[in-house]
Amino acid sequence: MLIVRFAFPSSAIALITLAACTPTPVRAPASASPAATTTRAASSSSGNFPGLSAIDSATLRSDLYTMASDSMRGREAGTMDELRAAAWVAMRARDAGLEPAGDDGTYFQFWPMRHTYLDMSASDVLLDGSPLVLQGSPNAVVVTLTDTAVDLPLIYVGSDTGSALAARDVRGKAVAALLLPPARLPAPDVSLRSFRYTVAAIRERTEALTRAGASAIVLVSDAVAEPELRGYFGTSLRRGRYTIDVPGSGSIPAQPPVIWVSRSQLDRVRAAHQLVARLRMTDIVYPSVNIVARVPGTDPARRNEYVLFSSHLDHDGVRYAVDGDSIWNGADDNASTSVALLAIGRAFVAHPAPRSALFVWHGAEERGLLGSRWFAQRPTVPRSSITAVLNADMIGRNAPDTAGLLGVQPPNRNSAALARMVLAANDSVTHFAIDSSWDRPTHPERWYFRSDHLPYARAGIPAVEFSTLLHPDYHTPRDEPDLIDYAKLTRMTRWMYAAGWLVATAPERPALDSARASAP
């Protein structure tokens, strides 16, 4: 396995990124009607929440059209596009009057991300001496990231399972098999259903064949998995694996190589008798980044305590085209919250609270909550000083008067006191009908476990998540700025601000529930 490591002093990259990677400002189209840039009057509550008037639809709209523009190229983690977006967020935070709270007196907290992927120049797979075209082709992809070289007889077992598979004597051989439906099918209306189906099907079939003794595996798509080979899952596999670079993270376990092929290759696979696979991985460590800013509190006794507002700034980048569009802009996911944090920051600058407000735009959330995992373990302020985390993910779509709130009912809730403050803010300011079903452990989306509040909750910090929940454009190139409901985005931003204001002004910090009182 080849390992390449880049050194990246944070202050130097911050200056380079700010100087060289600034995106071209994008002007939002004029609103079609006043309703698009206005929201429910909040004058009745403005006395209790003095920064509400600093949060306006026009600025949110302008910021979002820039952050989710094609010039940002989808803000994919581990690319210059993510750094470009991070630099833009840092400059907007500076323009808003927020103080830097990252490393070395900057807005930046760089952290090392390890990218492991197949070295195409040193890898090949042959069936009876004839090569399969791998990651650059829609016909085959390597599933397992492992350095290996095998030269084995190939046995085709079709759909055999259980005793029929055991009777085939596959131990120590390469095995070709049809992909089978997973034992537990994804719910019919769950998001990314074919992706989930394929992940489960490949995992279950691979585990069964490995238990039977296979030393290498070739899986042939079924009808459900076939589009995923060319689609979201296949694209993700071709990109490789991303982790935080910590001791031991670069080790790749020895395991049988697994090659997933198209249904179009079935006759070729069934007729083959020998598999030769030479797979070599490349490891590169390079930076991702969190942007961190703050507004100091006014109370000397409480200004060293922080209310943390959380978003992620990355999305899926440039991928395969859908209806001619290959830029996955991520307007709702999660430019919507990123620009909301800028607006909330302006509100706190205009009217500081007794406690300080801390704003973190995490990198590489789409890679597995990597930026928030890094910050939760290595915050730029004492971790014990973080009073609560108010995270949001996708807050600009769906029905205008409904919203989701997660982390407010057991078993996900870790602070009843924080939940009461967040609900009180909605009762006072925004009056959303709250869909609590997504916070239940029985909900098939498991949404609570898929965003940046989770590492903080696991570290014993009170945390909740705001969302307007999923829609059909989730993780597609159709998640564009012109589909955002800016009136709703403004209300969601005001709700987050009001909740944070209650936490920042409360005499006591919100307590953890007794069952969560000690961090793991």
Coordinates of all heavy atoms in Angstrom, one line a residue, residues 271-361:
A271 N -19.1 -18.5 -17.2 CA -18.3 -19.4 -18.0 C -16.9 -19.4 -17.6 O -16.1 -20.3 -18.0 CB -18.4 -18.9 -19.5
A272 N -16.4 -18.5 -16.8 CA -15.0 -18.4 -16.4 C -14.6 -19.5 -15.4 O -15.5 -19.9 -14.6 CB -14.7 -17.0 -15.8
H273 N -13.3 -19.9 -15.4 CA -12.8 -20.9 -14.5 C -11.7 -20.5 -13.7 O -11.3 -21.2 -12.8 CB -12.4 -22.1 -15.4 CG -13.5 -22.8 -16.1 ND1 -14.5 -23.5 -15.6 CD2 -13.8 -22.7 -17.5 CE1 -15.3 -23.9 -16.5 NE2 -14.9 -23.5 -17.7
Q274 N -11.1 -19.3 -13.9 CA -10.0 -18.8 -13.2 C -10.1 -17.3 -12.9 O -10.5 -16.5 -13.8 CB -8.7 -19.1 -13.9 CG -7.4 -19.0 -13.1 CD -7.2 -20.2 -12.2 OE1 -7.9 -21.2 -12.4 NE2 -6.3 -20.1 -11.2
L275 N -9.8 -16.9 -11.7 CA -9.8 -15.5 -11.3 C -8.4 -15.1 -10.9 O -7.8 -15.8 -10.0 CB -10.8 -15.2 -10.1 CG -10.7 -13.8 -9.6 CD1 -11.4 -12.8 -10.5 CD2 -11.4 -13.7 -8.2
V276 N -7.9 -14.1 -11.5 CA -6.6 -13.5 -11.0 C -6.9 -12.0 -10.6 O -7.5 -11.3 -11.4 CB -5.5 -13.5 -12.2 CG1 -4.3 -12.7 -11.7 CG2 -5.2 -14.9 -12.5
A277 N -6.6 -11.7 -9.4 CA -6.8 -10.3 -8.9 C -5.5 -9.8 -8.3 O -5.0 -10.4 -7.4 CB -8.0 -10.3 -8.0
R278 N -5.1 -8.6 -8.8 CA -4.0 -7.9 -8.1 C -4.5 -6.5 -7.7 O -4.8 -5.7 -8.6 CB -2.8 -7.8 -9.1 CG -2.1 -9.2 -9.4 CD -0.9 -9.0 -10.3 NE -1.4 -8.6 -11.6 CZ -1.5 -9.5 -12.6 NH1 -1.3 -10.8 -12.4 NH2 -1.9 -9.1 -13.8
L279 N -4.7 -6.3 -6.5 CA -5.3 -5.1 -6.0 C -4.3 -4.4 -5.1 O -3.7 -5.0 -4.1 CB -6.5 -5.3 -5.2 CG -7.6 -6.1 -5.9 CD1 -8.8 -6.4 -5.0 CD2 -8.0 -5.4 -7.2
R280 N -4.0 -3.1 -5.4 CA -3.1 -2.3 -4.6 C -3.8 -1.0 -4.2 O -4.3 -0.3 -5.0 CB -1.8 -2.0 -5.4 CG -0.8 -1.2 -4.6 CD 0.5 -1.1 -5.4 NE 1.5 -0.2 -4.8 CZ 2.3 -0.5 -3.8 NH1 2.3 -1.7 -3.3 NH2 3.2 0.4 -3.4
M281 N -3.7 -0.7 -2.9 CA -4.4 0.5 -2.4 C -3.4 1.7 -2.3 O -2.2 1.5 -2.1 CB -5.0 0.3 -1.0 CG -6.0 -0.8 -1.0 SD -7.5 -0.4 -2.0 CE -7.5 -1.9 -3.0
T282 N -3.9 2.9 -2.4 CA -3.2 4.1 -2.2 C -3.8 4.8 -1.0 O -5.0 4.9 -0.9 CB -3.2 5.0 -3.5 OG1 -2.4 4.4 -4.5 CG2 -2.6 6.4 -3.2
D283 N -2.9 5.3 -0.2 CA -3.4 6.1 1.0 C -2.8 7.5 0.9 O -1.6 7.7 0.8 CB -2.8 5.4 2.3 CG -3.8 5.1 3.3 OD1 -5.0 5.2 3.0 OD2 -3.5 4.7 4.4
I284 N -3.7 8.5 1.0 CA -3.3 9.9 1.0 C -3.9 10.5 2.2 O -5.1 10.3 2.5 CB -3.7 10.6 -0.3 CG1 -3.1 10.0 -1.5 CG2 -3.4 12.1 -0.2 CD1 -3.5 10.6 -2.8
V285 N -3.1 11.3 2.9 CA -3.6 12.1 4.0 C -3.5 13.6 3.6 O -2.5 14.1 3.3 CB -2.8 11.9 5.3 CG1 -3.3 12.8 6.5 CG2 -2.9 10.4 5.7
Y286 N -4.7 14.2 3.7 CA -4.7 15.6 3.3 C -5.8 16.3 4.2 O -6.5 15.7 4.9 CB -5.0 15.9 1.8 CG -6.1 15.1 1.2 CD1 -7.3 14.8 1.8 CD2 -5.9 14.5 -0.1 CE1 -8.3 14.1 1.2 CE2 -6.9 13.8 -0.7 CZ -8.1 13.6 -0.1 OH -9.1 12.9 -0.7
P287 N -5.9 17.7 4.1 CA -6.7 18.4 5.1 C -8.2 18.5 4.7 O -8.6 18.7 3.5 CB -6.1 19.8 5.1 CG -5.5 20.0 3.7 CD -5.1 18.6 3.3
S288 N -9.0 18.3 5.7 CA -10.3 18.9 5.7 C -10.3 20.0 6.8 O -9.3 20.2 7.5 CB -11.4 17.9 6.0 OG -12.7 18.4 5.9
V289 N -11.4 20.7 7.0 CA -11.4 21.9 7.8 C -12.7 22.1 8.5 O -13.8 21.9 7.9 CB -10.9 23.1 7.1 CG1 -11.9 23.5 5.9 CG2 -10.6 24.3 8.0
N290 N -12.7 22.6 9.7 CA -13.8 23.2 10.4 C -13.6 24.7 10.5 O -12.5 25.1 10.8 CB -14.0 22.6 11.9 CG -14.2 21.1 11.9 OD1 -14.9 20.6 11.0 ND2 -13.7 20.5 12.9
I291 N -14.7 25.4 10.3 CA -14.6 26.9 10.5 C -15.2 27.2 11.9 O -16.3 26.7 12.2 CB -15.4 27.6 9.4 CG1 -14.7 27.3 8.0 CG2 -15.3 29.1 9.6 CD1 -13.3 27.7 7.9
V292 N -14.5 27.9 12.7 CA -14.9 28.2 14.1 C -14.9 29.7 14.3 O -13.9 30.3 14.1 CB -14.0 27.4 15.1 CG1 -14.7 27.4 16.5 CG2 -13.8 26.0 14.6
A293 N -16.0 30.2 14.9 CA -16.1 31.7 15.2 C -16.9 31.8 16.4 O -17.6 30.9 16.9 CB -16.7 32.4 14.0
R294 N -16.8 33.0 17.0 CA -17.6 33.2 18.3 C -18.0 34.7 18.4 O -17.4 35.6 17.8 CB -16.7 32.8 19.5 CG -15.5 33.7 19.7 CD -14.7 33.3 20.9 NE -13.4 33.8 20.9 CZ -12.3 33.3 21.4 NH1 -12.4 32.0 21.9 NH2 -11.1 33.9 21.3
V295 N -19.0 34.9 19.3 CA -19.4 36.2 19.8 C -19.2 36.1 21.3 O -19.9 35.4 22.0 CB -20.8 36.6 19.4 CG1 -21.2 37.9 20.0 CG2 -20.9 36.6 17.9
P296 N -18.3 36.9 21.9 CA -18.1 36.8 23.3 C -19.3 37.2 24.1 O -20.1 38.1 23.7 CB -16.9 37.7 23.6 CG -16.2 37.9 22.3 CD -17.3 37.8 21.3
G297 N -19.5 36.5 25.3 CA -20.6 36.9 26.1 C -20.3 38.2 26.9 O -19.2 38.6 27.0
T298 N -21.4 38.7 27.5 CA -21.3 40.0 28.3 C -21.1 39.8 29.8 O -20.7 40.7 30.5 CB -22.5 40.8 28.0 OG1 -23.7 40.1 28.4 CG2 -22.6 41.2 26.5
D299 N -21.4 38.6 30.3 CA -21.4 38.4 31.7 C -20.0 37.8 32.1 O -19.7 36.7 31.7 CB -22.5 37.5 32.1 CG -22.6 37.2 33.6 OD1 -21.7 37.7 34.4 OD2 -23.5 36.4 34.1
P300 N -19.2 38.5 32.9 CA -17.9 38.0 33.3 C -18.0 36.6 33.9 O -17.1 35.8 33.7 CB -17.4 39.0 34.3 CG -18.1 40.2 34.0 CD -19.5 39.8 33.5
A301 N -19.1 36.3 34.6 CA -19.3 34.9 35.2 C -19.6 33.8 34.2 O -19.5 32.7 34.6 CB -20.3 35.0 36.3
R302 N -20.2 34.2 33.1 CA -20.7 33.2 32.1 C -20.0 33.3 30.7 O -20.3 32.4 29.9 CB -22.2 33.3 32.0 CG -22.9 32.8 33.3 CD -24.4 33.0 33.1 NE -24.9 34.4 33.2 CZ -26.1 34.8 33.1 NH1 -27.1 33.9 32.7 NH2 -26.5 36.0 33.3
R303 N -19.2 34.3 30.5 CA -18.7 34.4 29.1 C -17.8 33.3 28.7 O -17.5 33.1 27.5 CB -18.0 35.8 28.9 CG -16.7 36.0 29.7 CD -15.9 37.2 29.1 NE -16.7 38.4 29.1 CZ -16.5 39.5 29.7 NH1 -15.5 39.5 30.6 NH2 -17.3 40.5 29.6
N304 N -17.3 32.6 29.6 CA -16.4 31.4 29.3 C -17.2 30.1 29.1 O -16.7 29.0 29.1 CB -15.3 31.2 30.3 CG -14.3 32.3 30.3 OD1 -14.0 32.9 29.2 ND2 -13.8 32.7 31.4
E305 N -18.6 30.2 29.0 CA -19.4 29.1 28.7 C -20.0 29.4 27.3 O -20.3 30.6 27.0 CB -20.5 29.0 29.7 CG -20.0 28.7 31.1 CD -21.2 28.6 32.2 OE1 -22.3 29.0 31.8 OE2 -20.9 28.3 33.3
Y306 N -20.2 28.4 26.5 CA -20.5 28.6 25.1 C -21.8 27.8 24.7 O -22.0 26.6 25.1 CB -19.4 28.0 24.2 CG -18.1 28.8 24.3 CD1 -17.2 28.5 25.3 CD2 -17.9 29.9 23.5 CE1 -16.0 29.2 25.5 CE2 -16.7 30.7 23.7 CZ -15.8 30.3 24.6 OH -14.6 31.0 24.8
V307 N -22.7 28.5 24.0 CA -23.7 27.9 23.2 C -23.2 27.6 21.8 O -22.9 28.6 21.1 CB -25.0 28.7 23.2 CG1 -26.1 28.0 22.5 CG2 -25.4 29.1 24.6
L308 N -23.1 26.3 21.4 CA -22.5 26.0 20.1 C -23.6 25.8 19.1 O -24.5 24.9 19.2 CB -21.7 24.7 20.3 CG -20.7 24.3 19.2 CD1 -19.6 23.5 19.7 CD2 -21.4 23.6 18.0
F309 N -23.5 26.6 18.0 CA -24.4 26.4 16.9 C -23.6 25.6 15.8 O -22.5 26.0 15.5 CB -24.9 27.8 16.3 CG -25.7 28.6 17.3 CD1 -25.2 29.4 18.2 CD2 -27.1 28.4 17.2 CE1 -26.0 30.1 19.1 CE2 -27.9 29.1 18.1 CZ -27.4 30.0 19.0
S310 N -24.3 24.6 15.2 CA -23.5 23.7 14.4 C -24.2 23.5 13.0 O -25.4 23.4 12.9 CB -23.5 22.3 15.2 OG -23.2 21.2 14.3
S311 N -23.3 23.4 12.0 CA -23.7 23.0 10.7 C -22.6 22.2 10.0 O -21.6 22.0 10.6 CB -24.0 24.3 9.8 OG -24.4 23.9 8.5
H312 N -22.9 21.7 8.8 CA -21.7 21.2 8.0 C -21.7 21.9 6.7 O -22.8 22.3 6.1 CB -21.8 19.7 7.8 CG -22.9 19.1 6.9 ND1 -22.7 19.0 5.5 CD2 -24.1 18.7 7.2 CE1 -23.8 18.5 5.0 NE2 -24.7 18.3 6.0
L313 N -20.5 22.2 6.2 CA -20.4 23.0 5.0 C -20.1 22.2 3.7 O -20.2 22.7 2.6 CB -19.3 24.0 5.2 CG -17.8 23.5 5.5 CD1 -17.0 23.1 4.3 CD2 -17.1 24.6 6.3
D314 N -19.9 20.9 3.8 CA -19.6 20.1 2.7 C -20.8 19.5 2.1 O -21.9 19.4 2.7 CB -18.6 19.0 3.0 CG -19.2 17.9 4.0 OD1 -19.7 18.4 5.0 OD2 -19.2 16.7 3.7
H315 N -20.7 19.0 0.8 CA -21.8 18.2 0.2 C -21.1 17.1 -0.7 O -20.0 16.7 -0.4 CB -22.8 19.0 -0.5 CG -24.0 18.3 -0.9 ND1 -24.8 17.6 0.1 CD2 -24.7 18.0 -2.1 CE1 -25.8 17.0 -0.5 NE2 -25.7 17.2 -1.8
D316 N -21.8 16.7 -1.8 CA -21.3 15.5 -2.5 C -20.5 15.8 -3.8 O -20.1 14.9 -4.4 CB -22.6 14.7 -3.0 CG -23.1 13.9 -1.9 OD1 -22.4 13.6 -0.9 OD2 -24.3 13.5 -2.0
G317 N -20.2 17.1 -4.1 CA -19.3 17.4 -5.1 C -19.9 17.3 -6.5 O -21.1 17.4 -6.8
V318 N -19.0 16.9 -7.5 CA -19.3 16.7 -8.9 C -19.3 15.1 -9.1 O -18.3 14.5 -8.9 CB -18.3 17.3 -9.8 CG1 -18.7 17.1 -11.3 CG2 -18.3 18.8 -9.5
R319 N -20.5 14.6 -9.5 CA -20.7 13.2 -9.6 C -21.3 12.9 -11.0 O -21.2 13.7 -11.9 CB -21.5 12.6 -8.5 CG -20.9 12.8 -7.1 CD -21.5 12.1 -6.0 NE -20.7 12.2 -4.8 CZ -20.5 11.2 -3.9 NH1 -21.1 10.0 -4.1 NH2 -19.8 11.4 -2.8
Y320 N -21.9 11.8 -11.1 CA -22.6 11.4 -12.3 C -23.8 12.4 -12.6 O -24.4 12.9 -11.7 CB -23.1 10.0 -12.3 CG -24.0 9.6 -11.2 CD1 -25.4 9.7 -11.4 CD2 -23.5 9.2 -10.0 CE1 -26.3 9.4 -10.4 CE2 -24.4 8.9 -8.9 CZ -25.8 9.0 -9.2 OH -26.6 8.7 -8.1
A321 N -24.1 12.6 -13.8 CA -25.1 13.5 -14.2 C -26.5 12.9 -14.0 O -26.7 11.8 -14.3 CB -24.9 14.0 -15.6
V322 N -27.4 13.7 -13.6 CA -28.9 13.4 -13.6 C -29.6 14.5 -14.4 O -29.5 15.7 -14.0 CB -29.4 13.4 -12.1 CG1 -30.9 13.1 -12.2 CG2 -28.7 12.3 -11.3
D323 N -30.2 14.2 -15.4 CA -30.9 15.1 -16.3 C -29.9 16.2 -16.8 O -30.2 17.4 -16.8 CB -32.1 15.8 -15.6 CG -33.2 14.8 -15.2 OD1 -33.3 13.8 -16.0 OD2 -33.9 15.0 -14.2
G324 N -28.7 15.8 -17.0 CA -27.7 16.7 -17.6 C -26.9 17.5 -16.6 O -26.1 18.3 -16.9
D325 N -27.2 17.4 -15.3 CA -26.6 18.2 -14.2 C -25.7 17.3 -13.4 O -26.2 16.3 -12.8 CB -27.6 18.9 -13.4 CG -27.1 19.8 -12.4 OD1 -25.8 20.0 -12.3 OD2 -27.8 20.5 -11.6
S326 N -24.4 17.5 -13.3 CA -23.5 16.7 -12.5 C -23.0 17.4 -11.3 O -22.2 16.8 -10.5 CB -22.3 16.3 -13.4 OG -21.6 17.4 -13.8
I327 N -23.4 18.6 -11.0 CA -23.0 19.3 -9.8 C -24.1 19.1 -8.7 O -25.2 19.5 -8.9 CB -22.8 20.8 -10.0 CG1 -21.6 21.0 -11.0 CG2 -22.4 21.5 -8.7 CD1 -21.4 22.4 -11.4
W328 N -23.7 18.5 -7.6 CA -24.6 18.2 -6.5 C -24.5 19.3 -5.5 O -23.7 19.3 -4.6 CB -24.3 16.8 -5.9 CG -24.4 15.7 -6.9 CD1 -24.0 15.6 -8.2 CD2 -25.1 14.4 -6.6 NE1 -24.3 14.4 -8.7 CE2 -25.0 13.6 -7.8 CE3 -25.7 13.8 -5.5 CZ2 -25.5 12.4 -7.9 CZ3 -26.2 12.6 -5.6 CH2 -26.1 11.8 -6.8
N329 N -25.3 20.3 -5.7 CA -25.1 21.6 -5.1 C -25.3 21.6 -3.6 O -24.7 22.4 -2.8 CB -26.0 22.7 -5.7 CG -25.7 22.9 -7.2 OD1 -26.1 22.0 -8.0 ND2 -25.1 24.0 -7.6
G330 N -26.3 20.8 -3.1 CA -26.5 20.7 -1.7 C -27.0 22.1 -1.1 O -26.5 22.5 -0.1
A331 N -28.0 22.6 -1.7 CA -28.6 23.9 -1.2 C -29.3 23.7 0.1 O -29.0 24.4 1.1 CB -29.6 24.5 -2.3
D332 N -30.1 22.7 0.2 CA -30.7 22.4 1.5 C -29.8 21.6 2.4 O -29.8 21.8 3.6 CB -32.0 21.6 1.3 CG -33.0 21.6 2.5 OD1 -32.9 22.5 3.3 OD2 -33.8 20.7 2.6
D333 N -29.0 20.8 1.8 CA -28.1 19.9 2.6 C -26.6 20.3 2.3 O -26.0 19.7 1.4 CB -28.3 18.5 2.1 CG -27.6 17.4 2.9 OD1 -27.0 17.8 3.9 OD2 -27.5 16.3 2.4
N334 N -26.0 21.2 3.0 CA -26.5 21.8 4.2 C -26.2 23.3 4.1 O -25.9 23.9 5.2 CB -26.0 21.2 5.5 CG -26.9 21.5 6.7 OD1 -28.0 21.9 6.6 ND2 -26.2 21.4 7.8
A335 N -26.2 23.9 2.9 CA -26.0 25.3 2.8 C -27.1 26.1 3.5 O -26.8 27.2 4.0 CB -26.0 25.7 1.3
S336 N -28.3 25.5 3.6 CA -29.3 26.2 4.3 C -29.0 26.5 5.8 O -29.1 27.6 6.2 CB -30.6 25.3 4.3 OG -30.4 24.1 4.9
T337 N -28.4 25.5 6.5 CA -28.0 25.8 7.9 C -26.7 26.6 7.9 O -26.6 27.4 8.9 CB -27.8 24.5 8.6 OG1 -29.0 23.7 8.6 CG2 -27.5 24.7 10.1
S338 N -25.8 26.4 7.0 CA -24.6 27.2 7.0 C -24.9 28.7 6.9 O -24.2 29.5 7.7 CB -23.7 26.7 5.9 OG -23.2 25.4 6.1
V339 N -25.8 29.1 6.1 CA -26.1 30.5 6.0 C -26.9 30.9 7.2 O -26.9 32.1 7.6 CB -26.7 30.9 4.6 CG1 -25.8 30.5 3.5 CG2 -28.1 30.2 4.5
A340 N -27.7 30.0 7.7 CA -28.5 30.3 8.9 C -27.5 30.7 10.1 O -27.8 31.6 10.9 CB -29.4 29.2 9.3
L341 N -26.4 29.9 10.2 CA -25.5 30.3 11.3 C -24.9 31.6 11.1 O -24.6 32.3 12.1 CB -24.4 29.2 11.3 CG -24.6 28.1 12.4 CD1 -25.9 27.3 12.2 CD2 -23.4 27.1 12.4
L342 N -24.6 32.0 9.9 CA -24.1 33.4 9.6 C -25.1 34.4 10.1 O -24.8 35.4 10.7 CB -23.8 33.6 8.1 CG -22.6 32.8 7.6 CD1 -22.6 32.9 6.1 CD2 -21.3 33.3 8.2
A343 N -26.4 34.2 9.8 CA -27.4 35.1 10.2 C -27.6 35.1 11.8 O -27.7 36.2 12.4 CB -28.8 34.7 9.6
I344 N -27.5 34.0 12.4 CA -27.6 33.9 13.9 C -26.3 34.6 14.5 O -26.5 35.4 15.5 CB -27.6 32.5 14.3 CG1 -29.0 31.8 13.9 CG2 -27.5 32.4 15.9 CD1 -29.0 30.3 14.0
G345 N -25.2 34.5 13.8 CA -24.0 35.2 14.3 C -24.2 36.7 14.2 O -23.8 37.4 15.2
R346 N -24.8 37.2 13.2 CA -25.1 38.7 13.1 C -26.0 39.1 14.2 O -25.9 40.2 14.8 CB -25.7 39.0 11.7 CG -24.8 38.7 10.5 CD -25.4 39.2 9.2 NE -24.6 38.6 8.1 CZ -25.0 37.6 7.4 NH1 -26.1 36.9 7.7 NH2 -24.2 37.1 6.4
A347 N -27.0 38.3 14.5 CA -27.9 38.6 15.6 C -27.2 38.7 16.9 O -27.5 39.6 17.7 CB -29.1 37.5 15.7
F348 N -26.3 37.8 17.2 CA -25.6 37.9 18.5 C -24.5 39.0 18.5 O -24.3 39.6 19.5 CB -24.9 36.5 18.7 CG -25.7 35.5 19.4 CD1 -26.5 34.6 18.8 CD2 -25.8 35.5 20.8 CE1 -27.3 33.7 19.4 CE2 -26.6 34.6 21.5 CZ -27.3 33.7 20.8
V349 N -24.0 39.3 17.3 CA -23.1 40.5 17.3 C -23.9 41.8 17.6 O -23.4 42.6 18.4 CB -22.4 40.6 15.9 CG1 -21.7 42.0 15.7 CG2 -21.4 39.5 15.7
A350 N -25.1 41.9 17.1 CA -25.9 43.1 17.3 C -26.4 43.1 18.8 O -26.4 44.2 19.4 CB -27.1 43.1 16.4
H351 N -26.6 42.0 19.4 CA -27.1 41.9 20.8 C -26.4 40.7 21.5 O -27.0 39.6 21.5 CB -28.6 41.8 20.8 CG -29.3 42.9 20.2 ND1 -29.6 44.1 20.8 CD2 -29.9 43.0 18.9 CE1 -30.2 44.9 20.0 NE2 -30.4 44.3 18.9
P352 N -25.2 40.9 22.0 CA -24.6 39.8 22.7 C -25.3 39.3 23.9 O -26.1 40.1 24.5 CB -23.2 40.4 23.1 CG -23.0 41.6 22.2 CD -24.4 42.1 22.0
A353 N -25.2 38.0 24.2 CA -25.9 37.4 25.4 C -24.9 37.3 26.5 O -23.7 37.4 26.4 CB -26.4 36.1 25.0
P354 N -25.4 37.0 27.7 CA -24.4 36.7 28.8 C -23.4 35.6 28.5 O -22.2 35.8 28.8 CB -25.4 36.4 30.0 CG -26.6 37.0 29.7 CD -26.8 37.0 28.2
R355 N -23.8 34.5 28.0 CA -22.9 33.4 27.6 C -22.4 33.7 26.2 O -23.1 34.4 25.4 CB -23.6 32.1 27.6 CG -23.8 31.6 29.0 CD -24.3 30.1 29.1 NE -24.5 29.7 30.5 CZ -25.6 29.8 31.2 NH1 -26.7 30.4 30.6 NH2 -25.6 29.4 32.4
S356 N -21.3 33.2 25.8 CA -20.8 33.3 24.5 C -21.5 32.4 23.5 O -21.9 31.3 23.9 CB -19.2 33.0 24.5 OG -18.6 34.0 25.3
A357 N -21.5 32.8 22.3 CA -22.0 32.0 21.2 C -20.9 31.5 20.3 O -20.0 32.3 19.9 CB -23.0 32.8 20.3
L358 N -20.8 30.2 20.1 CA -19.8 29.6 19.3 C -20.4 29.0 18.1 O -21.4 28.3 18.2 CB -19.1 28.5 20.2 CG -17.8 27.9 19.6 CD1 -16.7 28.8 19.5 CD2 -17.4 26.6 20.4
F359 N -19.8 29.2 16.9 CA -20.3 28.7 15.7 C -19.3 27.8 15.0 O -18.1 28.2 14.8 CB -20.6 29.9 14.7 CG -21.6 30.9 15.3 CD1 -21.2 31.9 16.2 CD2 -23.0 30.7 15.1 CE1 -22.1 32.8 16.8 CE2 -23.9 31.6 15.6 CZ -23.5 32.6 16.5
V360 N -19.7 26.6 14.7 CA -18.8 25.6 14.0 C -19.5 25.1 12.8 O -20.6 24.6 12.8 CB -18.5 24.5 15.0 CG1 -17.5 23.5 14.3 CG2 -18.0 24.9 16.3
W361 N -18.8 25.4 11.6 CA -19.2 24.8 10.3 C -18.3 23.6 10.1 O -17.1 23.8 9.8 CB -19.0 25.8 9.2 CG -20.0 27.0 9.3 CD1 -21.2 27.1 8.6 CD2 -19.8 28.2 10.0 NE1 -21.8 28.3 8.9 CE2 -21.0 29.0 9.8 CE3 -18.9 28.7 10.9 CZ2 -21.1 30.3 10.3 CZ3 -19.0 30.0 11.5 CH2 -20.2 30.7 11.2

